[in-house]
Amino acid sequence: MKTILIIDDEEKLRGLLARIVKSEGFDILEASNLKSGLKKLEQNDIDVILCDVKLPDGNGVDFLQKIKSNFPLTEVILLTAYGNIADGVQAMKNGAFDYIVKGDDNDKIIPLLHKALEKVQLQKKVQQLEKRIFDKYSFDTIIGKSKALEQVIDLAKKVAKTDSTVLLIGETGTGKEVFAQAIHENSNRVVKSLVALNCSTFSKEILESELFGHKQGAFTGAIKDKKGFIEEANGGTLFLDEIGEMPLELQAKLLRVLETNEYIPVGDSTPKKSNFRLIAATNRDLKSESEANRFRSDLYFRLNIFQINIPPLRERVKDIAPLTVYFVKQFSEKINRKTLEIAPDFLQKLESYYWSGNVRELKNIIERSVILCNGDTLTSELLPYEIQHQEDKTNKSMSAFSMQSIEKLHIQKVLNYTKGNKAETARLLEIGIATLYRKLDEYNIQ
């Protein structure tokens, strides 16, 4: 039921309006002044307000500003006994849906109400869609509780509000695109799109066309002008996944765009401008690649303004349990069944596995297990053979002569020396603080 609030101090006119509007199937609330009208607004979900301009405790045109400030999705139609051009102009400036004269425009009220309600519904749908997108890609939805992941999220949150180029480093399946989306959704460019392009998917010629666009007739098959991803990302964010796979010739062109904000579509001679934020991702060591002349060193330095290293899943074992719970719930709902229980042996096998495919591999394994499960509980027998029969590393004690044992002992000694100061420990060990946290998790050092 759509709710309409009528604010008018003339009781008979207010009652007449209420009967007319109610006959259209709307829920009606009434108020005789601005104070009681505001109280009803605060207590109810009001879609549209029919408000008189001249009221005992104020002016409807001025009151309109307060309504739009505190209840932006509520539309207001102002009613006046005497048409005044100045009031009408100011009312529209203040955000009124319309401004009509009592008596003369009575036949307009119902059609206007329906139009105002259409706008309200559209605004609510947009708001819900924006909320769903934000909820899907906000940092709060990145699942995990390991210190290593918390460190990475903290870095991403800090850089999100800037326009700095971000380089995401991590193995395949660690969630680089999820981080790229979260950074964009928490940036000042969120009102524009994030445009994603995987550089490993296309040949050089097609990648160039996808990135820069092309003019009609630029090559065989170019039957019309085509916008490139750089143009599509104008005002927003361009996410280039697997940038380490980009051919050297295109790297030079990309560098020029980053330095000048100018690019030339394939087959064109006129430069175009695009102002975008770049987030790049790769599973390669671009520093080593540039030293071996397989990646342009000037582009690497331009990309490496703010580097974020996303640790592999095997280095953040604490994240496996919450990820498993999340994926089990997701895939149980997908096939319309009650959320399955997770047996301890099922989780133990997952936590001791190497996970070369990281979160993506875990997700696929969970989906397979949920489909195969005939009962109410996921047990280790549902897992693939290689996970069921892996060497049990969780209960295997480290040899006193192994490198792991020596590394663990050395980290513990330095921690004791710094009295638990992790930042100082990382400095003395000459490693990053994120790496230290991963090692503390891996060796269960408190």
Side-chain angles (χ1 to χ4, degrees):
M1 183 74 76
K2 309 306 178 191
T3 304
I4 313 297
L5 172 62
I6 301 173
I7 306 176
D8 199 312
D9 59 327
E10 295 182 43
E11 188 175 352
K12 288 184 178 179
L13 179 59
R14 191 174 70 242
L16 175 62
L17 279 174
R19 287 194 296 275
I20 293 171
V21 174
K22 196 170 185 178
S23 68
E24 291 292 314
F26 300 129
D27 193 9
I28 303 299
L29 293 174
E30 298 180 42
S32 60
N33 53 51
L34 298 178
K35 184 179 178 181
S36 60
L38 183 60
K39 189 173 182 180
K40 283 183 166 57
L41 259 172
E42 291 169 346
Q43 295 173 343
N44 301 274
D45 184 15
I46 308 293
D47 294 293
V48 181
I49 300 172
L50 288 171
C51 183
D52 191 10
V53 170
K54 302 294 183 184
L55 289 157
D57 55 346
N59 185 291
V61 176
D62 299 330
F63 182 60
L64 178 59
Q65 285 183 303
K66 189 170 187 177
I67 295 173
K68 298 306 287 186
S69 175
N70 294 301
F71 308 93
L73 297 184
T74 300
E75 292 298 327
V76 181
I77 298 171
L78 288 173
L79 309 171
T80 180
Y82 308 99
N84 182 302
I85 293 175
D87 273 356
V89 170
Q90 191 59 48
M92 302 310 285
K93 282 184 179 179
N94 289 358
F97 184 80
D98 211 331
Y99 177 91
I100 61 177
V101 179
K102 295 179 182 178
D104 295 347
D105 295 330
N106 281 353
D107 57 335
K108 293 182 180 179
I109 290 176
I110 297 304
L112 272 177
L113 275 177
H114 283 288
K115 287 181 181 178
L117 284 166
E118 283 179 12
K119 184 178 178 183
V120 170
Q121 291 305 107
L122 180 60
Q123 288 175 327
K124 286 182 177 180
K125 284 180 181 178
V126 170
Q127 188 182 65
Q128 289 166 1
L129 181 60
E130 287 175 345
K131 185 178 184 302
R132 285 212 310 269
I133 292 171
F134 181 79
D135 288 346
K136 184 177 179 180
Y137 294 116
S138 71
F139 288 113
D140 292 338
T141 60
I142 297 177
I143 299 165
K145 53 186 180 182
S146 65
K147 289 187 177 69
L149 186 65
E150 288 175 356
Q151 178 80 9
V152 172
I153 292 173
D154 186 53
L155 288 172
K157 283 181 177 178
K158 287 177 179 176
V159 78
K161 296 299 181 185
T162 74
D163 258 354
S164 295
T165 298
V166 179
L167 180 61
L168 300 171
I169 306 289
E171 295 179 5
T172 299
T174 49
K176 297 187 288 294
E177 185 164 0
V178 173
F179 271 89
Q181 288 278 7
I183 290 170
H184 172 72
E185 290 299 323
N186 288 270
S187 74
N188 297 324
R189 293 176 177 264
V190 66
V191 292
K192 296 289 186 176
S193 300
L194 177 140
V195 182
L197 179 64
N198 191 314
C199 298
S200 66
T201 307
F202 307 102
S203 65
K204 172 188 171 295
E205 292 73 21
I206 296 177
L207 180 59
E208 183 176 19
S209 172
E210 291 292 322
L211 195 55
F212 299 98
H214 64 249
K215 291 289 288 181
Q216 181 181 349
F219 50 83
T220 304
I223 58 175
K224 61 180 180 178
D225 291 356
K226 172 182 166 59
K227 285 185 180 181
F229 278 61
I230 287 174
E231 185 175 354
E232 295 283 358
N234 187 26
T237 303
L238 176 63
F239 174 52
L240 294 180
D241 200 3
E242 303 301 345
I243 197 168
E245 310 299 323
M246 181 179 284
L248 288 166
E249 304 95 298
L250 296 187
Q251 291 178 27
K253 289 189 174 185
L254 177 62
L255 180 63
R256 182 177 182 277
V257 179
L258 295 177
E259 291 176 343
T260 66
N261 285 340
E262 288 188 350
Y263 67 99
I264 301 176
V266 179
D268 201 353
S269 57
T270 306
K272 290 187 173 184
K273 281 192 171 288
S274 181
N275 179 0
F276 60 90
R277 191 229 190 119
L278 179 66
I279 301 177
T282 182
N283 58 12
R284 291 192 180 194
D285 182 348
L286 292 189
K287 187 173 186 295
S288 299
E289 293 289 298
S290 65
E291 290 170 352
N293 296 318
R294 290 190 294 268
F295 195 87
R296 291 184 64 103
S297 57
D298 47 5
L299 179 58
Y300 166 65
F301 292 127
R302 184 66 180 76
L303 294 175
N304 199 36
I305 294 172
F306 198 98
Q307 185 181 126
I308 298 177
N309 292 280
I310 304 174
L313 187 58
R314 59 186 171 276
E315 292 186 9
R316 44 189 180 100
V317 176
K318 286 184 181 178
D319 295 340
I320 292 175
L323 281 166
T324 300
V325 170
Y326 173 78
F327 289 138
V328 168
K329 184 175 185 296
Q330 182 185 66
F331 292 120
S332 295
E333 290 175 353
K334 188 176 179 181
I335 60 175
N336 297 315
R337 66 183 299 177
K338 179 184 174 184
T339 300
L340 299 170
E341 298 294 322
I342 301 169
D345 68 323
F346 183 86
L347 189 57
Q348 185 270 320
K349 290 291 184 183
L350 295 181
E351 290 181 335
S352 60
Y353 187 59
Y354 186 76
W355 297 115
S356 56
N358 294 292
V359 179
R360 186 180 295 127
E361 184 184 9
L362 174 64
K363 181 180 179 181
N364 294 340
I365 294 298
I366 298 300
E367 182 174 17
R368 175 186 183 274
S369 301
V370 169
I371 292 170
L372 291 175
C373 184
N374 291 320
D376 297 325
T377 304
L378 293 169
T379 60
S380 61
E381 289 78 15
L382 296 167
L383 294 167
Y385 180 87
E386 64 272 18
I387 299 181
Q388 286 189 51
H389 301 282
Q390 63 184 298
E391 182 182 359
D392 189 357
K393 298 175 184 177
T394 55
N395 297 320
K396 182 179 176 182
S397 60
M398 286 190 292
S399 164
F401 299 103
S402 72
M403 286 298 295
Q404 284 184 316
S405 179
I406 294 168
E407 185 177 52
K408 178 180 178 180
L409 182 61
H410 183 59
I411 292 172
Q412 188 67 68
K413 282 182 177 179
V414 178
L415 261 178
N416 292 340
Y417 174 76
T418 63
K419 297 180 181 178
N421 186 322
K422 294 181 178 63
E424 179 65 10
T425 299
R427 188 187 70 79
L428 292 173
L429 290 170
E430 297 182 355
I431 60 175
I433 189 70
T435 302
L436 176 61
Y437 275 121
R438 289 201 296 272
K439 295 294 182 183
L440 296 178
D441 276 346
E442 183 180 348
Y443 297 134
N444 197 26
I445 300 173
Q446 302 299 322

